[in-house]
Amino acid sequence: MRLTLDVGTHIDAPVSRVWRLITDTQTWTHWGPSLKEVDSTERFIRAGLTGRIRTPFGFWAPFTIETFEPERYWDWRVGGVAATGHRVEPRGPDQCQLTFTVPVWAAGYGVVCRVALNRIKRLLTSSIKEDQS
């Protein structure tokens, strides 16, 4: 069992919409401040998927999707190290809680996760408004 710190937020969007956004490797750079580029053979993640990410510092790090529970939870290893988990929980019709789990040893990364959560909320809010127009 890993010791983790949870950083989460309530989102006014259905689980399926949030899940699609956070499992689509083509959207990661839109909401993940620690990602500048993603290289993967598949657009949507699954258990065992590998690829690599480019950080803001310019170096590439390999990733592997470890745990994958559809529309519920996924986590990964980056550079061979256990990294963030991503959990989505329903909170009513068209509402959910999105939580990042951060290893305790990387607690400072919680600030980066908070920025990512805010970006995700903005992306989902703008796409929902576009759908309604």
Side-chain angles (χ1 to χ4, degrees):
M1 181 171 123
R2 332 189 283 182
L3 294 176
T4 59
L5 167 73
D6 289 348
V7 181
T9 192
H10 177 88
I11 297 180
D12 289 323
V15 166
S16 60
R17 183 166 252 169
V18 175
W19 185 255
R20 181 176 174 83
L21 181 69
I22 67 169
T23 59
D24 181 348
T25 61
Q26 291 182 7
T27 67
W28 287 357
T29 58
H30 298 289
W31 57 265
S34 59
L35 304 173
K36 291 299 176 196
E37 203 171 339
V38 178
D39 179 24
S40 176
T41 57
E42 297 176 40
R43 179 174 177 176
F44 291 94
I45 65 168
R46 59 170 173 74
L49 179 69
T50 61
R52 62 187 187 141
I53 57 167
R54 188 169 62 83
T55 72
F57 305 108
F59 67 86
W60 287 90
F63 74 80
T64 302
I65 305 302
E66 295 273 298
T67 308
F68 185 85
E69 301 168 17
E71 292 201 358
R72 177 85 173 120
Y73 180 81
W74 69 270
D75 63 23
W76 61 343
R77 295 183 84 74
V78 177
V81 177
T84 48
H86 308 72
R87 183 174 54 243
V88 184
E89 299 171 294
R91 292 289 189 249
D94 298 331
Q95 297 178 29
C96 63
Q97 176 79 15
L98 175 58
T99 304
F100 293 137
T101 60
V102 180
V104 170
W105 59 264
Y109 195 70
V111 174
V112 174
C113 290
R114 178 65 53 202
V115 171
L117 289 167
N118 289 334
R119 288 180 178 180
I120 288 168
K121 284 178 91 161
R122 275 196 307 273
L123 286 167
L124 290 166
T125 301
S126 65
S127 71
I128 289 170
K129 285 180 183 174
E130 288 173 11
D131 290 350
Q132 294 172 344
S133 348

